Amino acid sequence: MWKPDRSAQTPLYQQIVDHIERAISYAELPPGSSLPSERKMAEQLGVNRSTIIQAYEELRASGLVESVVGSGTRVSLTKWGISPTHTPNWRQYTEGGTFLPNLPLMRRIREVTLNSPTVINMASGELSSDLFPNGTVSSILREQPFHEHLGYDDPQGFEPLRKSLVHMLKQHNGIQTTESAMLITSGSQQSLYLITQCLLSPGDAVAIEDPSYSYSLPMFQSAGLRIYRLPVYEDGIDPDDITDLYRKHRIRMVFLNPNYQNPTGTTLSVAKRKKLLNIAAELRVPIVEDDPFSLTAFDGNVPLPLKAIDADGIVLYIGSLSKIAASGLRIGWMVAPQSVIERLTDARQQMDFGLSIMSQWVAERLLTSRQFEPHLAQLRHSLFQKQQIMVQTLQEVLQEKVTFVPPLGGLNLWCKINQRIDDGKLLEEAIKRGVTFVPGSVYGSEPGYVRLSYAKPHLEEIRPGILAFSEALKQL
């Protein structure tokens, strides 16, 4: 995002005026386009609000923008002889369509983290930069020649990568599969998108955990699905709840995150896993198993995924390198019956002809390198260290005001605030103090919960971040 140059001789307000004027002249801001409020623009550009007020006054004086009471500031409809009848009603278009925007709180968090580089980010589920295998990737690019075809690759995914993933899933997760039953995607969310768009129809009923990361994804509502909730307990969902939902609503699919569930961190018990698979087989209801965190098990004892004990082909298994290696590689995978893989591969080809061969090649080299196992060990150690600092600081500064159970893996701490709070107000107070988190309501929980991630902040940021969160909570 553009920002004014503080080292330039041109005053900041004038740089902002020039930037907006250029955007208007290039039709990036057509007549009638709304500009951000003074407060929001100041936050985005990292300047004082008075600077934005001065810039907007200059633009109004030139006739480029106009302010309407109750509607804010917008690009003038008549400047330079432009007639509004010649410009499409872009607002109507952007508010239309079937694909819904992100939830307001999630948009607010994204806006803050993008525009405030100094904020301590306890909202993101991304790993901090020091946990990425940069050294290994650099040595791969430097030392290993790339001889692959640079044209369109197989839309199902780079075959050597699929073979390497087959080996990894067998070694670490106990999953027996073949490369023909695997689709490479750009991450878990693309896998979910393909499933909701290609295997389900508008009006279909699906079950998701309560609370659940899936609840924060508007793609389910965008697909016209009816969502029913499965409460998450200390040892995961109750499989009998699936039977009840099937009888009442004829659910067609179940979406679960059994290992270090996001956001609660719970792990589905072994007894419940077997019962769950038996019930799903009896009802012939597929289970989508999202498993991004299992390899982060702090003690190295990886919980077996449902897919590892699925004898009936019920489970569609989704994984990703984002939480265990590098999110920027954009590598995910799905293991499913071959008929499903063929259907989704066809849809994938219509979307983008498959992933970049470069990122798939690097991922395959990373997985087969000698450094991958030490990387996983170091990742687990570092995440556990971060979690311990977060836990100790919370216990020290908030004591009985917050309740939580530290998970044995994963990236998040799910906390219950033992007082009545307003999610939005707590978030804004935290932002004022330089820290972000995700309110529990984003994941469909009742009021009074927050998700604090220890993945993105660096080790030395966690204590200051919790102290800032504590001050925000005390302010309320």
Side-chain angles (χ1 to χ4, degrees), residues 194-412:
L194 288 169
I195 289 169
T196 57
Q197 291 293 319
C198 301
L199 304 184
L200 296 166
S201 301
D204 281 350
V206 299
I208 67 173
E209 293 159 311
D210 175 22
S212 170
Y213 176 74
S214 294
Y215 192 82
S216 71
L217 301 175
M219 70 172 70
F220 288 84
Q221 291 91 337
S222 297
L225 303 176
R226 293 180 293 133
I227 298 174
Y228 296 96
R229 303 186 184 195
L230 295 166
V232 175
Y233 304 99
E234 291 182 1
D235 58 349
I237 66 158
D238 183 348
D240 288 329
D241 288 342
I242 293 176
T243 304
D244 293 340
L245 287 180
Y246 182 81
R247 288 171 179 166
K248 293 176 182 177
H249 306 289
R250 285 296 185 267
I251 57 170
R252 296 206 62 217
M253 198 170 279
V254 178
F255 291 81
L256 298 178
N257 176 195
N259 293 333
Y260 314 128
Q261 196 256 1
N262 188 4
T264 65
T266 57
T267 297
L268 188 66
S269 68
V270 173
K272 283 187 173 182
R273 289 170 192 250
K274 294 176 179 177
K275 185 175 183 179
L276 170 64
L277 289 174
N278 288 336
I279 288 174
E282 183 180 336
L283 299 176
R284 301 185 69 187
V285 173
I287 296 171
V288 177
E289 180 180 19
D290 190 7
D291 188 29
F293 306 119
S294 62
L295 294 191
T296 66
F298 299 145
D299 60 1
N301 294 317
V302 177
L304 280 182
L306 293 170
K307 188 64 181 174
I309 54 174
D310 172 26
D312 299 300
I314 294 168
V315 177
L316 307 182
Y317 180 80
I318 293 172
S320 165
L321 287 183
S322 295
K323 311 304 182 187
I324 58 170
S327 50
L329 285 175
R330 304 311 306 133
I331 297 294
W333 54 86
M334 185 191 311
V335 177
Q338 290 187 22
S339 58
V340 173
I341 295 298
E342 289 171 4
R343 170 72 176 98
L344 300 187
T345 298
D346 177 75
R348 175 65 184 282
Q349 186 168 25
Q350 295 180 55
M351 292 170 60
D352 58 12
F353 281 93
L355 280 174
S356 161
I357 185 64
M358 288 295 296
S359 61
Q360 294 184 84
W361 179 81
V362 171
E364 193 275 332
R365 296 286 82 199
L366 173 64
L367 291 176
T368 54
S369 71
R370 292 180 179 178
Q371 288 76 35
F372 186 65
E373 293 299 325
H375 161 74
L376 283 180
Q378 180 59 43
L379 173 68
R380 291 163 176 158
H381 173 72
S382 297
L383 288 174
F384 181 65
Q385 263 191 310
K386 288 183 173 186
Q387 188 203 72
Q388 290 298 100
I389 292 175
M390 180 174 282
V391 167
Q392 290 165 7
T393 310
L394 281 169
Q395 290 172 338
E396 174 189 330
V397 300
L398 288 174
Q399 300 176 4
E400 73 283 351
K401 293 180 181 178
V402 175
T403 305
F404 54 86
V405 177
L408 301 178
L411 313 181
N412 310 302

Side-chain angles (χ1 to χ4, degrees), residues 62-109:
S62 67
L64 283 174
V65 305
E66 56 192 19
S67 296
V68 180
V69 177
S71 301
T73 303
R74 67 183 185 185
V75 178
S76 174
L77 294 171
T78 56
K79 182 64 178 174
W80 296 329
I82 298 173
S83 170
T85 58
H86 295 163
T87 305
N89 187 342
W90 288 117
R91 181 169 183 174
Q92 186 180 50
Y93 281 98
T94 57
E95 291 177 355
T98 58
F99 199 79
L100 300 174
N102 270 313
L103 299 174
L105 284 176
M106 293 302 289
R107 296 204 301 272
R108 174 66 175 140
I109 292 167

